[in-house]
Amino acid sequence: MDRESFWAADPAELLRVGPGFRLADADTNAHPGFEGDKAAGQAALAEGAAVLNRLQEQLFANNVVNGDERRVLLVLQAMDSAGKGGIVNHVMGAVDPQGVQLAAFKKPTPEELEHDFLWRIHKQVPAAGRIGVFDRSHYEDVLIGRVRELAPADEIERRYGAINDFEEELARTGTTIVKVMLHLSKDEQRARLADRLARPDKHWKFNPGDIDERSRWDDYQEAYQLVFDRTATADAPWFVVPADRKWYARLAVQHLVIDALERMALEWPKADYDVAEQQRRLAAS
C-alpha cells in the first residue's frame, strides 16, 4: 500500500507553524494541499484510512514482536465545536482500537489540583507501540489558565518551559509528537452551536459555558499565539489546521499521523520460525 495519492502538495509542510507565523493571518476555510471538493475529500479519507490502518498495525506489531518502544502522540487543541470529536471518530476510529490510547482532559479534579499540572498528563502518555490521542491536553493550563487567570502570571510563564522540557523528554524516549490546533472561525462556531441548539439529538453536546467562552474569543486567539511562539519546537511541532470544513480538517490530521508513522520507516516483523516448515505442518494436520 503506497502513500495517499490525492495530495497536490504535502500539507505537513503547509500547515506547520514556523518562524513568524501569525494565527490572525491563517485562513480557517482553506484546504492547503488538496484541490478537490467535499465529495473528493470524503473519498480521499477512505483511501487514507487504509494507509493509516496498515501503518498503525506495523507500529503495534513491532512492539509486540520486537519490543520496539516507539509511539505517536497526537495532541488536539481547539475552541469548542471545532471538530476534535470528529477527528477521534472518523480518523482514529478507522484503525484497530487496541492500538489507540485516548485521553480526554476535562476540568482538573481536586486530587489533580494538589499536584503539578503535568502530573495527570504523565499518567496518560501512550504506551509503546500505540498511537495516543489527547483530546485537549496540558495546553489547557496555558490557554484557559491564562485567559481566565486561573494561575498567577509567573506560574503561567513557568509552564511554557515545563511543557517544553516534558515534550523534549518524550521525544528523546521514542515518542513522535504531533500537535494540532483546529482553527475555527468565530462565525462557523456560532453556526455549529446554533445547530446543536436546534436539534434535540445534539442538545447533549451543547454547554451554556460555550457562549461565555465566545466572549473571550480574542483573548484565546492571543493565548494560542503565545503557545505557538513558546512551544513550537523541532521535536514537537505545531500544525494549524483550517477547521471550517470538517472534511478537510479530518483529512489533514489523518495525513499528519500518517506522515509521523512513515518517518519511522516501519516494516513488518520477521517471523522467528521457519515459515515453509510451518506451512507443511499445517497442510499435514
Side-chain angles (χ1 to χ4, degrees), residues 41-71:
Q42 291 172 333
L45 190 70
E47 178 187 331
V51 178
L52 179 58
N53 186 62
R54 171 182 58 84
L55 290 166
Q56 179 272 322
E57 186 176 0
Q58 286 182 317
L59 177 69
F60 186 81
N62 273 281
N63 171 254
V64 171
V65 176
N66 299 326
D68 192 328
E69 290 292 311
R70 290 177 296 176
R71 68 211 72 188

PDB file of all heavy atoms in Angstrom, residues 41-71:
ATOM      1  N   GLY A  41     -12.949  14.846  -0.950  1.00  0.00           N
ATOM      2  CA  GLY A  41     -12.282  14.747   0.348  1.00  0.00           C
ATOM      3  C   GLY A  41     -12.744  13.543   1.141  1.00  0.00           C
ATOM      4  O   GLY A  41     -11.942  12.879   1.808  1.00  0.00           O
ATOM      5  N   GLN A  42     -14.035  13.252   1.084  1.00  0.00           N
ATOM      6  CA  GLN A  42     -14.553  12.092   1.797  1.00  0.00           C
ATOM      7  C   GLN A  42     -14.029  10.790   1.203  1.00  0.00           C
ATOM      8  O   GLN A  42     -13.712   9.844   1.930  1.00  0.00           O
ATOM      9  CB  GLN A  42     -16.075  12.135   1.790  1.00  0.00           C
ATOM     10  CG  GLN A  42     -16.642  13.263   2.643  1.00  0.00           C
ATOM     11  CD  GLN A  42     -18.129  13.441   2.504  1.00  0.00           C
ATOM     12  OE1 GLN A  42     -18.721  13.117   1.471  1.00  0.00           O
ATOM     13  NE2 GLN A  42     -18.783  13.958   3.545  1.00  0.00           N
ATOM     14  N   ALA A  43     -13.914  10.749  -0.132  1.00  0.00           N
ATOM     15  CA  ALA A  43     -13.338   9.566  -0.782  1.00  0.00           C
ATOM     16  C   ALA A  43     -11.862   9.416  -0.417  1.00  0.00           C
ATOM     17  O   ALA A  43     -11.370   8.311  -0.187  1.00  0.00           O
ATOM     18  CB  ALA A  43     -13.511   9.672  -2.295  1.00  0.00           C
ATOM     19  N   ALA A  44     -11.171  10.541  -0.371  1.00  0.00           N
ATOM     20  CA  ALA A  44      -9.751  10.517  -0.012  1.00  0.00           C
ATOM     21  C   ALA A  44      -9.558  10.030   1.418  1.00  0.00           C
ATOM     22  O   ALA A  44      -8.597   9.307   1.717  1.00  0.00           O
ATOM     23  CB  ALA A  44      -9.149  11.908  -0.191  1.00  0.00           C
ATOM     24  N   LEU A  45     -10.463  10.412   2.315  1.00  0.00           N
ATOM     25  CA  LEU A  45     -10.354   9.971   3.705  1.00  0.00           C
ATOM     26  C   LEU A  45     -10.405   8.455   3.796  1.00  0.00           C
ATOM     27  O   LEU A  45      -9.672   7.846   4.590  1.00  0.00           O
ATOM     28  CB  LEU A  45     -11.474  10.593   4.544  1.00  0.00           C
ATOM     29  CG  LEU A  45     -11.345  10.413   6.063  1.00  0.00           C
ATOM     30  CD1 LEU A  45     -10.199  11.251   6.613  1.00  0.00           C
ATOM     31  CD2 LEU A  45     -12.652  10.801   6.761  1.00  0.00           C
ATOM     32  N   ALA A  46     -11.257   7.827   2.977  1.00  0.00           N
ATOM     33  CA  ALA A  46     -11.344   6.364   2.971  1.00  0.00           C
ATOM     34  C   ALA A  46     -10.047   5.752   2.453  1.00  0.00           C
ATOM     35  O   ALA A  46      -9.568   4.742   2.980  1.00  0.00           O
ATOM     36  CB  ALA A  46     -12.528   5.925   2.111  1.00  0.00           C
ATOM     37  N   GLU A  47      -9.452   6.345   1.426  1.00  0.00           N
ATOM     38  CA  GLU A  47      -8.172   5.849   0.912  1.00  0.00           C
ATOM     39  C   GLU A  47      -7.090   5.983   1.976  1.00  0.00           C
ATOM     40  O   GLU A  47      -6.304   5.062   2.217  1.00  0.00           O
ATOM     41  CB  GLU A  47      -7.773   6.624  -0.345  1.00  0.00           C
ATOM     42  CG  GLU A  47      -6.418   6.185  -0.904  1.00  0.00           C
ATOM     43  CD  GLU A  47      -5.925   7.060  -2.040  1.00  0.00           C
ATOM     44  OE1 GLU A  47      -6.769   7.629  -2.768  1.00  0.00           O
ATOM     45  OE2 GLU A  47      -4.691   7.176  -2.206  1.00  0.00           O
ATOM     46  N   GLY A  48      -7.056   7.146   2.616  1.00  0.00           N
ATOM     47  CA  GLY A  48      -6.051   7.368   3.652  1.00  0.00           C
ATOM     48  C   GLY A  48      -6.224   6.451   4.837  1.00  0.00           C
ATOM     49  O   GLY A  48      -5.248   6.078   5.500  1.00  0.00           O
ATOM     50  N   ALA A  49      -7.479   6.066   5.135  1.00  0.00           N
ATOM     51  CA  ALA A  49      -7.733   5.187   6.271  1.00  0.00           C
ATOM     52  C   ALA A  49      -7.033   3.849   6.102  1.00  0.00           C
ATOM     53  O   ALA A  49      -6.537   3.263   7.069  1.00  0.00           O
ATOM     54  CB  ALA A  49      -9.235   4.977   6.447  1.00  0.00           C
ATOM     55  N   ALA A  50      -6.991   3.345   4.857  1.00  0.00           N
ATOM     56  CA  ALA A  50      -6.313   2.072   4.606  1.00  0.00           C
ATOM     57  C   ALA A  50      -4.813   2.197   4.849  1.00  0.00           C
ATOM     58  O   ALA A  50      -4.174   1.292   5.399  1.00  0.00           O
ATOM     59  CB  ALA A  50      -6.588   1.618   3.173  1.00  0.00           C
ATOM     60  N   VAL A  51      -4.246   3.337   4.459  1.00  0.00           N
ATOM     61  CA  VAL A  51      -2.816   3.574   4.687  1.00  0.00           C
ATOM     62  C   VAL A  51      -2.532   3.684   6.184  1.00  0.00           C
ATOM     63  O   VAL A  51      -1.597   3.056   6.710  1.00  0.00           O
ATOM     64  CB  VAL A  51      -2.366   4.863   3.965  1.00  0.00           C
ATOM     65  CG1 VAL A  51      -0.886   5.144   4.242  1.00  0.00           C
ATOM     66  CG2 VAL A  51      -2.616   4.758   2.467  1.00  0.00           C
ATOM     67  N   LEU A  52      -3.342   4.458   6.876  1.00  0.00           N
ATOM     68  CA  LEU A  52      -3.156   4.640   8.318  1.00  0.00           C
ATOM     69  C   LEU A  52      -3.323   3.323   9.061  1.00  0.00           C
ATOM     70  O   LEU A  52      -2.555   3.022   9.990  1.00  0.00           O
ATOM     71  CB  LEU A  52      -4.152   5.676   8.843  1.00  0.00           C
ATOM     72  CG  LEU A  52      -4.108   5.959  10.345  1.00  0.00           C
ATOM     73  CD1 LEU A  52      -2.732   6.442  10.781  1.00  0.00           C
ATOM     74  CD2 LEU A  52      -5.173   6.996  10.721  1.00  0.00           C
ATOM     75  N   ASN A  53      -4.293   2.529   8.674  1.00  0.00           N
ATOM     76  CA  ASN A  53      -4.538   1.257   9.341  1.00  0.00           C
ATOM     77  C   ASN A  53      -3.331   0.332   9.221  1.00  0.00           C
ATOM     78  O   ASN A  53      -2.929  -0.320  10.190  1.00  0.00           O
ATOM     79  CB  ASN A  53      -5.774   0.594   8.748  1.00  0.00           C
ATOM     80  CG  ASN A  53      -6.169  -0.656   9.500  1.00  0.00           C
ATOM     81  OD1 ASN A  53      -6.505  -0.624  10.687  1.00  0.00           O
ATOM     82  ND2 ASN A  53      -6.107  -1.791   8.822  1.00  0.00           N
ATOM     83  N   ARG A  54      -2.729   0.287   8.019  1.00  0.00           N
ATOM     84  CA  ARG A  54      -1.546  -0.558   7.835  1.00  0.00           C
ATOM     85  C   ARG A  54      -0.387  -0.086   8.702  1.00  0.00           C
ATOM     86  O   ARG A  54       0.279  -0.890   9.377  1.00  0.00           O
ATOM     87  CB  ARG A  54      -1.131  -0.560   6.367  1.00  0.00           C
ATOM     88  CG  ARG A  54       0.218  -1.248   6.119  1.00  0.00           C
ATOM     89  CD  ARG A  54       0.626  -1.203   4.674  1.00  0.00           C
ATOM     90  NE  ARG A  54       0.731   0.144   4.148  1.00  0.00           N
ATOM     91  CZ  ARG A  54       1.810   0.919   4.278  1.00  0.00           C
ATOM     92  NH1 ARG A  54       2.868   0.485   4.963  1.00  0.00           N
ATOM     93  NH2 ARG A  54       1.842   2.123   3.760  1.00  0.00           N
ATOM     94  N   LEU A  55      -0.135   1.216   8.711  1.00  0.00           N
ATOM     95  CA  LEU A  55       0.986   1.748   9.473  1.00  0.00           C
ATOM     96  C   LEU A  55       0.786   1.557  10.974  1.00  0.00           C
ATOM     97  O   LEU A  55       1.733   1.241  11.702  1.00  0.00           O
ATOM     98  CB  LEU A  55       1.168   3.227   9.146  1.00  0.00           C
ATOM     99  CG  LEU A  55       1.681   3.532   7.738  1.00  0.00           C
ATOM    100  CD1 LEU A  55       1.502   5.000   7.404  1.00  0.00           C
ATOM    101  CD2 LEU A  55       3.148   3.124   7.599  1.00  0.00           C
ATOM    102  N   GLN A  56      -0.449   1.764  11.426  1.00  0.00           N
ATOM    103  CA  GLN A  56      -0.733   1.561  12.851  1.00  0.00           C
ATOM    104  C   GLN A  56      -0.489   0.103  13.238  1.00  0.00           C
ATOM    105  O   GLN A  56       0.070  -0.179  14.308  1.00  0.00           O
ATOM    106  CB  GLN A  56      -2.171   1.968  13.159  1.00  0.00           C
ATOM    107  CG  GLN A  56      -2.593   1.769  14.611  1.00  0.00           C
ATOM    108  CD  GLN A  56      -3.144   0.362  14.871  1.00  0.00           C
ATOM    109  OE1 GLN A  56      -3.834  -0.208  14.035  1.00  0.00           O
ATOM    110  NE2 GLN A  56      -2.827  -0.185  16.027  1.00  0.00           N
ATOM    111  N   GLU A  57      -0.888  -0.830  12.380  1.00  0.00           N
ATOM    112  CA  GLU A  57      -0.677  -2.246  12.688  1.00  0.00           C
ATOM    113  C   GLU A  57       0.813  -2.579  12.706  1.00  0.00           C
ATOM    114  O   GLU A  57       1.274  -3.358  13.547  1.00  0.00           O
ATOM    115  CB  GLU A  57      -1.408  -3.125  11.677  1.00  0.00           C
ATOM    116  CG  GLU A  57      -1.353  -4.606  12.035  1.00  0.00           C
ATOM    117  CD  GLU A  57      -2.160  -5.489  11.094  1.00  0.00           C
ATOM    118  OE1 GLU A  57      -2.780  -4.950  10.148  1.00  0.00           O
ATOM    119  OE2 GLU A  57      -2.154  -6.718  11.302  1.00  0.00           O
ATOM    120  N   GLN A  58       1.582  -1.982  11.809  1.00  0.00           N
ATOM    121  CA  GLN A  58       3.019  -2.222  11.808  1.00  0.00           C
ATOM    122  C   GLN A  58       3.668  -1.700  13.089  1.00  0.00           C
ATOM    123  O   GLN A  58       4.548  -2.361  13.665  1.00  0.00           O
ATOM    124  CB  GLN A  58       3.666  -1.559  10.587  1.00  0.00           C
ATOM    125  CG  GLN A  58       3.399  -2.283   9.276  1.00  0.00           C
ATOM    126  CD  GLN A  58       4.082  -1.622   8.101  1.00  0.00           C
ATOM    127  OE1 GLN A  58       4.066  -0.401   7.974  1.00  0.00           O
ATOM    128  NE2 GLN A  58       4.685  -2.416   7.237  1.00  0.00           N
ATOM    129  N   LEU A  59       3.244  -0.517  13.525  1.00  0.00           N
ATOM    130  CA  LEU A  59       3.771   0.041  14.778  1.00  0.00           C
ATOM    131  C   LEU A  59       3.478  -0.899  15.934  1.00  0.00           C
ATOM    132  O   LEU A  59       4.368  -1.214  16.744  1.00  0.00           O
ATOM    133  CB  LEU A  59       3.144   1.405  15.031  1.00  0.00           C
ATOM    134  CG  LEU A  59       3.536   2.111  16.335  1.00  0.00           C
ATOM    135  CD1 LEU A  59       4.995   2.545  16.297  1.00  0.00           C
ATOM    136  CD2 LEU A  59       2.623   3.320  16.590  1.00  0.00           C
ATOM    137  N   PHE A  60       2.245  -1.353  16.015  1.00  0.00           N
ATOM    138  CA  PHE A  60       1.830  -2.235  17.098  1.00  0.00           C
ATOM    139  C   PHE A  60       2.566  -3.578  17.025  1.00  0.00           C
ATOM    140  O   PHE A  60       3.066  -4.089  18.046  1.00  0.00           O
ATOM    141  CB  PHE A  60       0.319  -2.460  17.007  1.00  0.00           C
ATOM    142  CG  PHE A  60      -0.270  -3.229  18.155  1.00  0.00           C
ATOM    143  CD1 PHE A  60      -0.561  -2.610  19.354  1.00  0.00           C
ATOM    144  CD2 PHE A  60      -0.538  -4.588  18.037  1.00  0.00           C
ATOM    145  CE1 PHE A  60      -1.115  -3.323  20.414  1.00  0.00           C
ATOM    146  CE2 PHE A  60      -1.087  -5.309  19.090  1.00  0.00           C
ATOM    147  CZ  PHE A  60      -1.371  -4.669  20.281  1.00  0.00           C
ATOM    148  N   ALA A  61       2.660  -4.145  15.818  1.00  0.00           N
ATOM    149  CA  ALA A  61       3.305  -5.443  15.641  1.00  0.00           C
ATOM    150  C   ALA A  61       4.778  -5.402  16.017  1.00  0.00           C
ATOM    151  O   ALA A  61       5.310  -6.350  16.622  1.00  0.00           O
ATOM    152  CB  ALA A  61       3.144  -5.910  14.193  1.00  0.00           C
ATOM    153  N   ASN A  62       5.451  -4.311  15.672  1.00  0.00           N
ATOM    154  CA  ASN A  62       6.872  -4.212  16.006  1.00  0.00           C
ATOM    155  C   ASN A  62       7.101  -4.121  17.506  1.00  0.00           C
ATOM    156  O   ASN A  62       8.122  -4.589  18.008  1.00  0.00           O
ATOM    157  CB  ASN A  62       7.478  -3.001  15.297  1.00  0.00           C
ATOM    158  CG  ASN A  62       7.961  -3.336  13.901  1.00  0.00           C
ATOM    159  OD1 ASN A  62       9.025  -3.903  13.711  1.00  0.00           O
ATOM    160  ND2 ASN A  62       7.149  -2.994  12.897  1.00  0.00           N
ATOM    161  N   ASN A  63       6.154  -3.544  18.218  1.00  0.00           N
ATOM    162  CA  ASN A  63       6.268  -3.532  19.672  1.00  0.00           C
ATOM    163  C   ASN A  63       6.060  -4.931  20.238  1.00  0.00           C
ATOM    164  O   ASN A  63       6.827  -5.395  21.093  1.00  0.00           O
ATOM    165  CB  ASN A  63       5.265  -2.564  20.274  1.00  0.00           C
ATOM    166  CG  ASN A  63       5.192  -2.672  21.779  1.00  0.00           C
ATOM    167  OD1 ASN A  63       4.229  -3.203  22.323  1.00  0.00           O
ATOM    168  ND2 ASN A  63       6.219  -2.217  22.469  1.00  0.00           N
ATOM    169  N   VAL A  64       5.029  -5.624  19.751  1.00  0.00           N
ATOM    170  CA  VAL A  64       4.707  -6.953  20.265  1.00  0.00           C
ATOM    171  C   VAL A  64       5.828  -7.945  19.982  1.00  0.00           C
ATOM    172  O   VAL A  64       6.242  -8.717  20.857  1.00  0.00           O
ATOM    173  CB  VAL A  64       3.384  -7.456  19.647  1.00  0.00           C
ATOM    174  CG1 VAL A  64       3.150  -8.922  20.004  1.00  0.00           C
ATOM    175  CG2 VAL A  64       2.207  -6.604  20.119  1.00  0.00           C
ATOM    176  N   VAL A  65       6.362  -7.917  18.771  1.00  0.00           N
ATOM    177  CA  VAL A  65       7.348  -8.921  18.357  1.00  0.00           C
ATOM    178  C   VAL A  65       8.769  -8.518  18.728  1.00  0.00           C
ATOM    179  O   VAL A  65       9.554  -9.341  19.219  1.00  0.00           O
ATOM    180  CB  VAL A  65       7.244  -9.179  16.840  1.00  0.00           C
ATOM    181  CG1 VAL A  65       8.324 -10.153  16.383  1.00  0.00           C
ATOM    182  CG2 VAL A  65       5.861  -9.716  16.483  1.00  0.00           C
ATOM    183  N   ASN A  66       9.107  -7.258  18.483  1.00  0.00           N
ATOM    184  CA  ASN A  66      10.491  -6.815  18.632  1.00  0.00           C
ATOM    185  C   ASN A  66      10.742  -5.919  19.838  1.00  0.00           C
ATOM    186  O   ASN A  66      11.881  -5.510  20.075  1.00  0.00           O
ATOM    187  CB  ASN A  66      10.940  -6.074  17.371  1.00  0.00           C
ATOM    188  CG  ASN A  66      10.889  -6.947  16.132  1.00  0.00           C
ATOM    189  OD1 ASN A  66      11.139  -8.148  16.210  1.00  0.00           O
ATOM    190  ND2 ASN A  66      10.564  -6.357  14.984  1.00  0.00           N
ATOM    191  N   GLY A  67       9.679  -5.580  20.565  1.00  0.00           N
ATOM    192  CA  GLY A  67       9.861  -4.692  21.707  1.00  0.00           C
ATOM    193  C   GLY A  67      10.174  -3.258  21.321  1.00  0.00           C
ATOM    194  O   GLY A  67      10.755  -2.503  22.116  1.00  0.00           O
ATOM    195  N   ASP A  68       9.783  -2.867  20.120  1.00  0.00           N
ATOM    196  CA  ASP A  68      10.019  -1.500  19.640  1.00  0.00           C
ATOM    197  C   ASP A  68       9.290  -0.521  20.576  1.00  0.00           C
ATOM    198  O   ASP A  68       8.088  -0.624  20.788  1.00  0.00           O
ATOM    199  CB  ASP A  68       9.485  -1.370  18.212  1.00  0.00           C
ATOM    200  CG  ASP A  68       9.941  -0.090  17.521  1.00  0.00           C
ATOM    201  OD1 ASP A  68      10.123   0.925  18.216  1.00  0.00           O
ATOM    202  OD2 ASP A  68      10.088  -0.101  16.284  1.00  0.00           O
ATOM    203  N   GLU A  69      10.026   0.437  21.134  1.00  0.00           N
ATOM    204  CA  GLU A  69       9.487   1.346  22.137  1.00  0.00           C
ATOM    205  C   GLU A  69       8.855   2.606  21.551  1.00  0.00           C
ATOM    206  O   GLU A  69       8.346   3.443  22.291  1.00  0.00           O
ATOM    207  CB  GLU A  69      10.599   1.755  23.108  1.00  0.00           C
ATOM    208  CG  GLU A  69      11.056   0.636  24.029  1.00  0.00           C
ATOM    209  CD  GLU A  69       9.978   0.251  25.039  1.00  0.00           C
ATOM    210  OE1 GLU A  69       9.412   1.149  25.689  1.00  0.00           O
ATOM    211  OE2 GLU A  69       9.690  -0.954  25.158  1.00  0.00           O
ATOM    212  N   ARG A  70       8.865   2.746  20.245  1.00  0.00           N
ATOM    213  CA  ARG A  70       8.358   3.981  19.653  1.00  0.00           C
ATOM    214  C   ARG A  70       6.831   4.062  19.730  1.00  0.00           C
ATOM    215  O   ARG A  70       6.140   3.059  19.802  1.00  0.00           O
ATOM    216  CB  ARG A  70       8.827   4.091  18.197  1.00  0.00           C
ATOM    217  CG  ARG A  70      10.317   4.341  18.074  1.00  0.00           C
ATOM    218  CD  ARG A  70      10.756   4.382  16.631  1.00  0.00           C
ATOM    219  NE  ARG A  70      10.568   3.098  15.958  1.00  0.00           N
ATOM    220  CZ  ARG A  70      10.800   2.883  14.662  1.00  0.00           C
ATOM    221  NH1 ARG A  70      11.227   3.892  13.905  1.00  0.00           N
ATOM    222  NH2 ARG A  70      10.619   1.682  14.136  1.00  0.00           N
ATOM    223  N   ARG A  71       6.342   5.276  19.704  1.00  0.00           N
ATOM    224  CA  ARG A  71       4.908   5.546  19.786  1.00  0.00           C
ATOM    225  C   ARG A  71       4.640   6.918  19.168  1.00  0.00           C
ATOM    226  O   ARG A  71       5.564   7.673  18.893  1.00  0.00           O
ATOM    227  CB  ARG A  71       4.449   5.532  21.242  1.00  0.00           C
ATOM    228  CG  ARG A  71       4.997   6.685  22.035  1.00  0.00           C
ATOM    229  CD  ARG A  71       5.207   6.356  23.485  1.00  0.00           C
ATOM    230  NE  ARG A  71       6.344   5.469  23.663  1.00  0.00           N
ATOM    231  CZ  ARG A  71       6.657   4.896  24.809  1.00  0.00           C
ATOM    232  NH1 ARG A  71       5.910   5.103  25.884  1.00  0.00           N
ATOM    233  NH2 ARG A  71       7.702   4.113  24.908  1.00  0.00           N
TER     234      ARG A  71
END
